[in-house]
Amino acid sequence: MRHRSPKAATAAVALALAAGAIAPAAATQGSQAARQPASADGVWRVEGYGTVLSIGHGRLQEYQTTEISCLKGVSAKRTASGAYRAGDGTVLTVLPEGSLRVAGSPGDRRLRRIAELPDTCDRDRPMPKDPVTAFDVFWQSFEENYPFFAAKGIDWHSVRETYRPKVNADTTRDELFAVFSEMVAPLHDAHVTVFDGERRFYRVRPGTTVPGEELDSKAKNHVVRRDLKGRKPQEFANGRISYADLPGRQGYLRISGFAAYDRNDRSYAAQLAELRTALDTVLTRERTASLKGLIIDLRINGGGSDALGLHIAQRLTDTPYLAYRKRTRYTRPQPIPVRPAKDSPRYTGPVAVLTGGSTFSAGETFTQALMDRPGRTVRVGEHTQGVFSDVLDRRLPNGMAVWLPNEEFLTRSGRTFDGGGIPPHLRTPVFTKEEFEKNRDSAFDKAVAVLRDQ
């Protein structure tokens, strides 16, 4: 699940919903009774995600809810395999015992059956589309879901007191967009975006840059010319993964994102297939046995699917360990493990991870998933961006929309890195103007030296 575009680390998981297969149910009474599939049909609340699902007659309908609102979200149709697939190709798996799996997002989301849709979903009383109602739904969506107000020193209730008097029945769309933008600007949260058609507003952490195509190309060319001495690396996954052997039996693995690996198929299954092809080609039995160090370059990484990062981590350990724990404001932390890949060569030697302010989203969750990796793992460069959560796509009654995060990614000790990002062990400049002009790559050079001294 995660990103691109203005949020370069926001899009690959923008829609945190889509659909999946219905799992087999528990046995019927009696030890000799045949097992029958339990039905997932009905109405479910997705705990901690401000969402209600209505399932029946081969269709799944999402409702985005707050205490004061209910708006239709994505819909999905059941396929011949029993899966529910949304228009963007995302797949949801609804387990009748009460959990939801979103393709590409690690862990399960807790489901609770409810008797019927909330009263706010009454079709006979559609929500008004006036500016004041849109403001109230916007504010309430953050009030119920956003976890980081205290950490960022933002009093959201004071924000409401300041801005709601500025909105009335005559407020224009341009004025309302400006109000919403001013409200969220102090968050400097790259997983918060306000939309009005093609217009959008977002802010990244001060002093950092969105990992767009121009910066990615510039950095990539710099690495090839300077660090690889002009030798072209092997490329995979639509150019988003590249690999080169370095002198001294070191390896260089560059990952510019965890999405868009397949040009023609946006599904998570297609992205995973491309990743496996890359890993099987790079991490061969011969190479994993001979490597003395591996540099993983995430300095320009726009995010994408957290689960793809975990698949890479599985090829870097022989021992199971905790990647991180996930929670929302209303759910307990759920442990997300890294389990060694089966039937595949694994590299377990020293790793140097290169990070910077343009390491976004799934690039950060992958970095976090390597923090407790058995064996030597050192981070070199600068702090990551500081945005980890999947993104809730919230529609507003007037047709505008907003993206916002609702999850925390916790370390074993309960720490989060949202806002400030994951710090490096060894701090160096990362793709600064001076680094380019003076033909330097301080992070790469430091990583080579550190691995050489292992």
Side-chain angles (χ1 to χ4, degrees), residues 152-169:
K152 293 175 180 284
I154 303 294
D155 184 340
W156 192 236
H157 288 257
S158 293
V159 171
R160 185 177 190 274
E161 292 172 4
T162 299
Y163 286 97
R164 196 175 191 276
K166 299 181 180 182
V167 179
N168 56 57

Side-chain angles (χ1 to χ4, degrees), residues 31-52:
S31 58
Q32 302 301 318
R35 291 178 180 268
Q36 298 293 331
S39 175
D41 286 4
V43 183
W44 302 86
R45 184 174 295 282
V46 188
E47 301 285 19
Y49 288 83
T51 300
V52 171

Side-chain angles (χ1 to χ4, degrees), residues 159-383:
V159 171
R160 185 177 190 274
E161 292 172 4
T162 299
Y163 286 97
R164 196 175 191 276
K166 299 181 180 182
V167 179
N168 56 57
D170 296 324
T171 299
T172 68
R173 205 171 185 92
D174 287 346
E175 291 169 339
L176 188 61
F177 183 84
V179 165
F180 290 161
S181 300
E182 289 178 21
M183 289 170 68
V184 301
L187 297 174
H188 290 288
D189 190 324
H191 272 178
V192 172
T193 304
V194 181
F195 295 89
D196 182 20
E198 295 300 314
R199 178 168 52 175
R200 59 188 62 189
F201 174 89
Y202 66 97
R203 282 286 182 270
V204 298
R205 180 163 60 80
T208 65
T209 304
V210 171
E213 291 184 9
E214 183 177 350
L215 178 59
D216 180 60
S217 178
K218 184 177 182 179
K220 189 173 187 177
N221 291 336
H222 183 72
V223 167
V224 171
R225 182 179 62 254
R226 182 200 181 271
D227 303 329
L228 304 185
K229 313 302 181 188
R231 292 180 292 108
K232 293 278 188 177
Q234 292 177 278
E235 292 204 342
F236 310 91
N238 196 20
R240 308 207 77 184
I241 299 174
S242 56
Y243 177 82
D245 286 315
L246 302 175
R249 290 162 62 185
Q250 293 185 15
Y252 174 78
L253 179 64
R254 184 177 187 269
I255 306 171
S256 65
F258 292 94
Y261 290 173
D262 188 314
R263 292 178 183 271
N264 302 314
D265 188 340
R266 295 180 296 172
S267 71
Y268 171 72
Q271 314 316 307
L272 179 57
E274 292 294 322
L275 175 62
R276 284 175 169 160
T277 296
L279 294 178
D280 288 344
T281 304
V282 171
L283 297 177
T284 62
R285 199 167 304 279
E286 294 76 14
R287 183 173 280 125
T288 54
S290 64
L291 277 181
K292 288 189 174 181
L294 177 64
I295 297 172
I296 302 178
D297 191 349
L298 305 174
R299 288 175 293 179
I300 310 297
N301 187 294
S305 166
D306 298 326
L308 294 179
L310 290 177
H311 273 280
I312 299 175
Q314 291 171 0
R315 299 290 293 266
L316 301 175
T317 182
D318 282 340
T319 306
Y321 68 94
L322 179 71
Y324 38 74
R325 295 180 296 150
K326 290 175 61 173
R327 74 177 177 194
T328 72
R329 291 173 57 186
Y330 309 101
T331 58
R332 294 183 177 181
Q334 180 181 16
I336 306 298
V338 174
R339 299 185 177 93
K342 296 181 179 179
D343 304 322
S344 297
R346 298 184 293 270
Y347 170 73
T348 60
V351 170
V353 182
L354 309 186
T355 66
S358 296
T359 306
F360 276 55
S361 200
E364 300 183 84
T365 66
F366 175 53
T367 301
Q368 187 167 350
L370 298 180
M371 291 179 69
D372 287 333
R373 171 183 174 265
R376 175 70 167 160
T377 303
V378 60
R379 298 184 302 278
V380 182
E382 296 177 343
H383 284 66

Side-chain angles (χ1 to χ4, degrees), residues 46-61:
V46 188
E47 301 285 19
Y49 288 83
T51 300
V52 171
L53 304 180
S54 178
I55 303 174
H57 305 292
R59 300 196 69 86
L60 177 149
Q61 178 64 55

Side-chain angles (χ1 to χ4, degrees), residues 15 17-19 59-60 73-77 84-91 265-267 395:
L15 293 179
L17 284 183
R59 300 196 69 86
L60 177 149
V74 299
S75 59
K77 186 176 181 181
Y84 291 91
R85 185 179 297 270
D88 71 340
T90 311
V91 173
D265 188 340
R266 295 180 296 172
S267 71
R395 302 179 183 183

